[in-house]
Amino acid sequence: MSTFPSDIEIAQNATLQHIRKIAEKINIQEDDLEYYGKYKAKLPLELQSENPKGKLILVSAMSPTKYGEGKTTMTIGLTDGLNYIGKKAIGVLREPSLGPVFGLKGGAAGGGYAQVVPMEDINLHFTGDFSAIEKANNLLSAVIDNNLQNPKFSLNLDPKSIAWKRVMDMNDRSLRQIIIGVGAKANGTMREDGFNITPASEVMAILCLSKDLEDLKFRLGNIFVGKTFEGKAIFARDLKVVGAMAVLLKDALKPNLVQTLEGNPAILHGGPFASIAQGTNTVIATKMGLSLGDYVVTEAGFGADLGAEKFFHIKCGQSGLKPDAVVLVATLKAIKHHAGMGDYELKVPKVSAIENGFCNLEKHIENIQKFGLNPVVCINAFPEDTAEEYDKLKALCLAKGVTAIVSTAFVDGGKGSAVLAEKVVEEINKNTANYKPLYATTDSIEHKINTIAKEIYGASSVEFSPKSKSQLKMINDLGFNEFQICMAKTPASFSDNEKIIGRPTDFTITVREFEIASGARFIVPLLGDVMRMPGLPAVPNAERIDIDNNGKISGLS
């Protein structure tokens, strides 16, 4: 019996089209392309129109499990499926982070026969956007510490108040909390510092939310750094480093054009995590896709309680974008997991487990409906699935007023998502989408947090630690109370405890502390024990990745 090829084997055996051929399909002139080799290109900002006419489709998912629900795979599969049925569709996705690539989750270029390529490049350094964001972030850190070191030019910044952290695009738990400036006086001011992973950088968030270079610079200038000993707020603009940061980001601000395995256009740009940041690709890329195609398929990371909620409140709230349809990805494995079945049971057909675990998907469906959209459920097919289990899940979805459709995009590419594509187009043509946020920016920070915790997560109450209460007062004193909320919590549960699966009720959300992203115009409550710098697993993916003497890479997924 032949073994199904690995993702990297499929990608390496694919015949790619020159990127100018992909550009031609969406009427981009060759002179507009900035080539990064034969299969990647940067796109100029001028390709986005002020009022794009395309239809926006958001792909999200039920609460993720360690088995992987294939949200990116289904996003790419739906893009190919729409093109397969004759629609002009563009996939607009986030760029992968090296943290998961070398850690636990793997890359983010899709899987099977629903991938964006060149897979190795996309999952590794790609076009250098992450590196530019990292450098811009750390330039600000270096200038902050340089200011502390030079009394003649000092802003009198209190080292204990500095809120800005360094970043690195790698999982490294030992950098979460560090002491810098140790040793001789020339080594700088000794103080406590720490690293976040690059996707959690506010510079990443700013890049993803900016509309142009001028807006990028304005937002960079608004980054809150800390306070003087007299209590005056200090921002990045006070350190006169905004221009230099923008120079580092000038190319990173331009979206990247690549292709799917079926030769359909895909724009990849930006890469924040939905568990610890806003979790969606850039506003520029999304508007560009909507300007160039009739349909844009985009995704928001992890489950809909994180990615979709932030997409609706932060990305849509700041950009004026409105989704025309939402797709929720589910797997029978994930449904069974949320029914409490163990690893060894998941491949065993069990209709009753579908009924018991549906509660998790059900809550995500209800949440999307609260925003004024009726989702389509995409069931990512696996070989061990049974027709009886599909029928049960479809019936349960139908009882919630939602259609569930099986996609075989992993095995069959666009053809395997053709029926899903037809249903999504049908849903859009109904013209019933009526997006509305669940909170107003004028609501208090506490009200916004309570709204998300109770309406989206299903919590009964929210508790604020003494540290978070003190920070909340400072946030209000600084005039940041009208910012949006970017929750940082475990993606594995609706609660802030990853072990509580299914659809928990009567639980309390605990806000441990806050981080401020004033340039991005949101506040980050850290819930439970979530960290913005992940750690590596006991056996990281890095141990499986290698390259041979001919330059062929193995082990990427």
Side-chain angles (χ1 to χ4, degrees):
M1 186 174 72
S2 60
T3 305
F4 193 81
S6 67
D7 293 347
I8 195 167
E9 287 171 338
I10 291 171
Q12 289 173 340
N13 288 326
T15 301
L16 276 62
Q17 299 178 42
H18 195 288
I19 198 64
R20 69 171 175 272
K21 295 290 186 183
I22 304 302
E24 287 173 5
K25 295 179 181 182
I26 45 177
N27 302 317
I28 298 175
Q29 302 301 312
E30 187 170 358
D31 282 350
D32 285 331
L33 299 176
E34 293 180 21
Y35 290 120
Y36 281 65
K38 293 189 291 184
Y39 308 118
K40 310 185 294 288
K42 284 278 184 185
L43 301 175
L45 303 191
E46 293 75 20
L47 291 178
Q48 58 172 335
S49 60
E50 196 64 38
N51 297 298
K53 303 300 182 185
K55 300 297 184 181
L56 182 57
I57 303 160
L58 173 66
V59 179
S60 193
M62 62 183 293
S63 298
T65 69
K66 63 183 179 181
Y67 317 106
E69 277 52 71
K71 180 165 42 59
T72 304
T73 302
M74 294 298 103
T75 300
I76 298 162
L78 177 56
T79 302
D80 285 336
L82 286 162
N83 282 286
Y84 183 85
I85 63 170
K87 306 299 180 182
K88 189 178 179 182
I90 304 172
V92 181
L93 298 91
R94 295 168 294 135
E95 300 175 49
S97 160
L98 292 178
V101 168
F102 294 117
L104 177 64
K105 186 174 175 286
Y113 287 93
Q115 295 188 54
V116 282
V117 282
M119 182 261 218
E120 300 102 319
D121 293 2
I122 291 167
N123 277 324
L124 297 172
H125 297 293
F126 199 24
T127 56
D129 294 348
F130 271 61
S131 178
I133 289 162
E134 194 173 286
K135 297 299 184 292
N137 184 107
N138 294 341
L139 172 62
L140 178 55
S141 292
V143 170
I144 290 168
D145 285 303
N146 189 56
N147 191 266
L148 294 176
Q149 181 76 355
N150 293 283
K152 184 178 178 181
F153 303 100
S154 173
L155 293 172
N156 204 29
L157 190 61
D158 180 358
K160 291 183 179 178
S161 76
I162 294 171
W164 189 251
K165 291 184 177 182
R166 289 165 161 85
V167 298
M168 182 174 73
D169 193 33
M170 200 66 64
N171 292 2
D172 193 344
R173 62 173 59 82
S174 63
L175 294 178
R176 289 172 182 163
Q177 194 170 12
I178 61 174
I179 302 295
I180 61 172
V182 177
K185 186 177 180 180
N187 292 350
T189 301
M190 189 163 70
R191 67 180 183 90
E192 187 175 323
D193 197 4
F195 276 75
N196 287 333
I197 192 167
T198 301
S201 168
E202 186 181 349
V203 176
M204 173 69 81
I206 287 171
L207 182 98
C208 288
L209 293 168
S210 296
K211 60 184 180 182
D212 52 31
L213 188 56
E214 183 181 3
D215 189 34
L216 176 85
K217 291 175 69 174
F218 177 75
R219 288 171 177 270
L220 290 172
N222 285 339
I223 291 172
F224 174 70
V225 171
K227 290 185 174 183
T228 66
F229 284 103
E230 297 77 29
K232 177 188 174 185
I234 297 295
F235 298 89
R237 58 178 176 267
D238 299 316
L239 290 154
K240 302 176 182 177
V241 73
V242 172
M245 293 172 72
V247 166
L248 286 170
L249 296 167
K250 68 179 181 66
D251 292 323
L253 191 61
K254 301 170 186 174
N256 310 290
L257 179 67
V258 291
Q259 62 191 287
T260 70
L261 286 172
E262 298 188 2
N264 294 312
I267 299 174
L268 274 59
H269 199 212
F273 290 168
S275 55
I276 52 177
Q278 82 272 25
T280 64
N281 64 285
T282 68
V283 169
I284 288 172
T286 304
K287 287 190 173 180
M288 191 176 290
L290 291 168
S291 304
L292 297 168
D294 296 329
Y295 296 89
V296 159
V297 186
T298 191
E299 66 170 315
F302 293 108
D305 57 321
L306 287 166
E309 182 272 313
K310 293 170 183 177
F311 181 92
F312 291 136
H313 281 135
I314 299 174
K315 184 170 182 174
C316 292
Q318 294 196 28
S319 67
L321 289 166
K322 293 184 178 181
D324 297 285
V326 176
V327 174
L328 281 176
V329 177
T331 63
L332 297 189
K333 267 188 181 179
I335 298 280
K336 292 175 182 178
H337 167 84
H338 286 286
M341 293 181 71
D343 291 6
Y344 62 94
E345 300 174 288
L346 294 178
K347 291 187 178 182
V348 178
K350 195 171 185 180
V351 174
S352 62
I354 303 301
E355 194 157 12
N356 294 335
F358 177 69
C359 58
N360 182 270
L361 177 59
E362 178 184 45
K363 175 61 175 161
H364 288 292
I365 291 169
E366 292 172 5
N367 286 345
I368 298 299
Q369 290 170 334
K370 288 179 182 181
F371 286 101
L373 295 108
N374 204 41
V376 175
V377 170
C378 166
I379 308 171
N380 182 9
F382 281 78
E384 62 272 12
D385 297 349
T386 67
E388 291 77 16
E389 291 171 313
Y390 285 151
D391 289 344
K392 172 54 72 174
L393 184 52
K394 288 177 180 179
L396 290 167
C397 287
L398 197 59
K400 301 295 295 184
V402 168
T403 301
I405 293 172
V406 177
S407 168
T408 60
F410 183 88
V411 174
D412 299 318
K415 181 180 178 181
S417 275
V419 177
L420 174 66
E422 295 278 11
K423 181 60 187 177
V424 170
V425 170
E426 179 188 320
E427 200 66 36
I428 291 171
N429 289 341
K430 288 179 183 176
N431 202 28
T432 55
N434 185 28
Y435 157 74
K436 57 183 184 297
L438 300 188
Y439 64 71
T441 54
T442 51
D443 294 335
S444 69
I445 297 292
E446 299 98 314
H447 178 84
K448 293 168 192 169
I449 292 171
N450 270 280
T451 298
I452 296 168
K454 293 177 180 178
E455 291 291 327
I456 300 299
Y457 305 159
S460 55
S461 60
V462 178
E463 287 185 359
F464 294 85
S465 72
K467 181 177 183 179
S468 71
K469 287 179 180 177
S470 173
Q471 291 172 322
L472 190 54
K473 182 181 183 304
M474 181 181 72
I475 288 166
N476 286 318
D477 290 345
L478 287 166
F480 298 159
N481 52 296
E482 291 199 359
F483 288 174
Q484 283 134 343
I485 300 300
C486 184
M487 295 285 216
K489 80 168 183 72
T490 175
S493 172
F494 279 113
S495 75
D496 53 15
N497 179 350
E498 64 179 18
K499 294 180 180 178
I500 304 177
I501 58 175
R503 181 178 182 166
T505 56
D506 195 28
F507 63 93
T508 299
I509 288 290
T510 301
V511 178
R512 186 179 83 237
E513 59 183 295
F514 287 98
E515 289 194 13
I516 296 170
S518 50
R521 295 190 62 81
F522 59 65
I523 301 297
V524 184
L526 274 67
L527 308 185
D529 58 2
V530 71
M531 297 293 177
R532 300 187 84 203
M533 167 55 88
L536 289 170
V539 183
N541 281 341
E543 294 186 13
R544 293 182 280 273
I545 296 171
D546 202 357
I547 186 169
D548 67 17
N549 200 42
N550 295 316
K552 187 174 182 180
I553 295 171
S554 59
L556 273 179
S557 61

